[in-house]
Amino acid sequence: MRSPRLRLIAGLLLAPLLSGCFSSSGDDASSDSSGSGEGGRLGVALAFQPTENYSPYGSQDAFILSRLGVAEGLTRLDANGTAVPALAESWSSEQDGKSWLFTLRDAKFQDGSDVTAKAVASALTHAAQADPAPTAISGVQLTAEAVGDDQVKVTAADADPVLPLRLTNPSLAVFSPKAYGKDGKVSPVGTATGPFALTKITGDTAATLDRFDDYWGGRAQASGIDAKFVSDGTARANALRTGDVDIAEAVPVAQVASLDKDTAHEVNTARNTSLYLNTRTGVFKDAGLRAAAREAVDTSVIAKGVYEGYAEPAQGLYGPALTWASGKRIEPTGLAKAADPKGKSITIATYNDRPELPEAAQVLQQQLQKAGFKVKLEVRTYARLESDLLAGKFDAAVYSRNMMLDTGDPVTVLDGDYTCDGSNNLSFLCDKNVDKLVTTAQAETDPAKRQDAAMKAEAAILGTDAVIPLVHLKVVTGIGTSVKGAVLDPYEREFVGIGTRS
């Protein structure tokens, strides 16, 4: 039996963490789960190509599957950052705080088989054993076991009050048993549970999806989706203008003015663009040179000149979309004194899938050169950059990151991005004080205290100069005037819903 205290803790922890709400273009079709009406196929242009053949454990691929309505997990994030039912219709924590019992709803996989407790437990076990583990469960030591036919017990090594939030991460989506190969690979083609089934893959350039009529949440209004992966932002905008696609992701700010005013839709997000400095090897292993880089950067130039008003200078890691952060921010202490760069050479890497990033890198190049560095830029598509980025082959990286993308929890992203064992640690930061503060924050169960602890960890991270936050972003989505119910999601996990139609 779950104690009253644990019920209270769970309820508080899953309270809203993000201000604002999802919105949809046109009428609010995205909230209609009846699937009434009949729409044609939707053409969409996404900014990022799959990097690992649609593996749910790929850093981009899982979110592609989520945005296209292919895959889902036990829980999902609602508009306020709360974990709400998906494949699980309810859950409760057990006495020790380590285990949670999830009761499944009646649902089917896209291959026609039933969603069972055994299948779900197996899917979560595969995810937990992936190498590297999905960011949301890095260091959690998650295990899952079936309890009867319709319940799954999910356990962490330590008490974990935000485990339902972790399970919203697209990398923890559930697939049918036939999806999992003996070689460890996962095929999402026709094996997921979402309203659209992936039916055809054309390399890393396109994908075809058909409506899954047995979706537990109701029949989607669009009959299918024709997805194109177009890394060039101008090409995405052009595809929308010419009617080649109905929806274009991440329209470059330079292209917004050229769109019909009724087709450009903006939303505040928890996304930042930051300069990550490699603290493990090379020039920026020296704290004094990291401090020199920080002092050289003028973020207002990037906000005004590069983002043209669709961003504002960063105040830290947590931006204005997270209204609780502004009143809790702590100034970093112990900052190193800037050293003279003396012409030392550095390479800054970035990707052109988000076209503002190369422009931002060029501005940074000029600012850092003025400060005394010699700066080379390396620009690729993200698919061709990711492995080298994670291997630490560059001195610095200009990278765009949604601080709430992994779980909706303000602490989880700190663990993944800035601790010694973090799976997305682009700065390769390994600082005992940072790790201690993040661990302390992870243990907090009260939302306000958890936020306070996150801000203390943020201050410590910024004090190392491992990352230099540049701007907080708005995202512009191009949506054709005939489209109704396209989803504008501050978490950037959802792109089309069952009510999206053309």
Side-chain angles (χ1 to χ4, degrees), residues 60-383:
Q60 289 295 334
D61 300 38
F63 287 92
I64 290 172
L65 296 174
S66 175
R67 288 173 184 140
L68 291 176
V70 174
E72 59 191 351
L74 290 179
T75 57
R76 66 175 182 84
L77 285 180
D78 74 355
N80 294 311
T82 304
V84 297
L87 290 176
E89 60 183 8
S90 64
W91 53 87
S92 60
S93 60
E94 298 194 346
Q95 198 73 28
D96 60 2
K98 298 179 182 180
S99 298
W100 293 73
L101 190 64
F102 293 83
T103 300
L104 305 179
R105 67 172 72 252
D106 288 334
K108 287 186 176 295
F109 290 109
Q110 293 161 352
D111 61 12
S113 61
D114 291 332
V115 174
T116 64
K118 182 178 178 181
V120 171
S122 176
L124 292 176
T125 299
H126 278 95
Q129 293 174 348
D131 186 18
T135 303
I137 57 170
S138 176
V140 173
Q141 299 180 45
L142 181 144
T143 60
E145 60 178 311
V147 179
D149 294 331
D150 65 349
Q151 290 187 312
V152 178
K153 182 178 180 180
V154 183
T155 303
D158 300 305
D160 189 3
V162 296
L163 194 142
L165 278 172
R166 295 185 190 279
L167 295 179
T168 68
N169 187 287
S171 289
L172 299 173
V174 173
F175 299 87
S176 74
K178 69 180 291 186
Y180 301 93
K182 293 181 179 179
D183 57 1
K185 294 181 180 180
V186 186
S187 172
V189 178
T191 61
T193 62
F196 296 99
L198 191 61
T199 57
K200 181 182 178 182
I201 295 171
T202 306
D204 60 1
T205 62
T208 302
L209 301 88
D210 293 333
R211 178 172 54 209
F212 176 45
D213 288 341
D214 287 333
Y215 179 55
W216 62 263
R219 192 166 176 260
Q221 295 189 12
S223 60
I225 299 172
D226 298 309
K228 298 180 179 181
F229 301 98
V230 184
S231 60
D232 183 85
T234 300
R236 289 197 301 278
N238 286 338
L240 180 70
R241 278 194 293 265
T242 61
D244 189 41
V245 299
D246 300 298
I247 309 174
E249 183 182 34
V251 174
V253 295
Q255 295 294 318
V256 173
S258 67
L259 294 179
D260 184 286
K261 65 178 181 179
D262 294 329
T263 64
H265 301 259
E266 66 180 67
V267 62
N268 286 314
T269 73
R271 178 172 291 280
N272 301 332
T273 293
S274 299
L275 178 65
Y276 293 76
L277 305 181
N278 186 340
T279 65
R280 185 174 66 187
T281 59
V283 170
F284 291 124
K285 188 175 181 180
D286 185 324
L289 292 175
R290 297 200 298 273
R294 167 177 44 81
E295 292 189 359
V297 172
D298 184 345
T299 58
S300 64
V301 174
I302 296 172
K304 294 177 182 178
V306 176
Y307 287 93
E308 301 179 14
Y310 290 94
E312 60 181 75
Q315 299 301 308
L317 298 174
Y318 303 103
L322 302 166
T323 55
W324 54 264
S326 60
K328 296 175 179 285
R329 184 156 285 116
I330 301 170
E331 289 298 317
T333 58
L335 291 166
K337 183 178 179 181
D340 185 350
K342 296 181 180 179
K344 288 186 171 59
S345 296
I346 59 173
T347 298
I348 300 177
T350 194
Y351 44 101
N352 55 16
D353 311 72
R354 296 185 183 274
E356 295 84 11
L357 297 186
E359 290 187 53
Q362 289 174 356
V363 172
L364 291 169
Q365 182 183 40
Q366 295 169 2
Q367 293 178 350
L368 292 169
Q369 285 175 338
K370 186 176 180 180
F373 292 96
K374 291 182 180 178
V375 185
K376 176 185 175 183
L377 301 182
E378 180 77 22
V379 180
R380 308 175 191 168
T381 64
Y382 186 82

Side-chain angles (χ1 to χ4, degrees), residues 25-67:
S25 70
D27 59 354
D28 192 17
S30 63
S31 64
D32 177 9
S33 63
S34 66
S36 59
E38 181 74 20
R41 296 186 67 82
L42 290 168
V44 303
L46 299 183
F48 294 91
Q49 299 170 312
T51 60
E52 297 184 35
N53 198 33
Y54 297 90
S55 167
Y57 312 137
S59 61
Q60 289 295 334
D61 300 38
F63 287 92
I64 290 172
L65 296 174
S66 175
R67 288 173 184 140

Side-chain angles (χ1 to χ4, degrees), residues 77 270 318 322 324 402-410 491 493:
L77 285 180
Y318 303 103
L322 302 166
W324 54 264
N402 190 317
M403 291 297 293
M404 293 290 149
L405 194 66
D406 291 328
T407 63
D409 169 42
Y491 291 102
R493 293 184 176 191

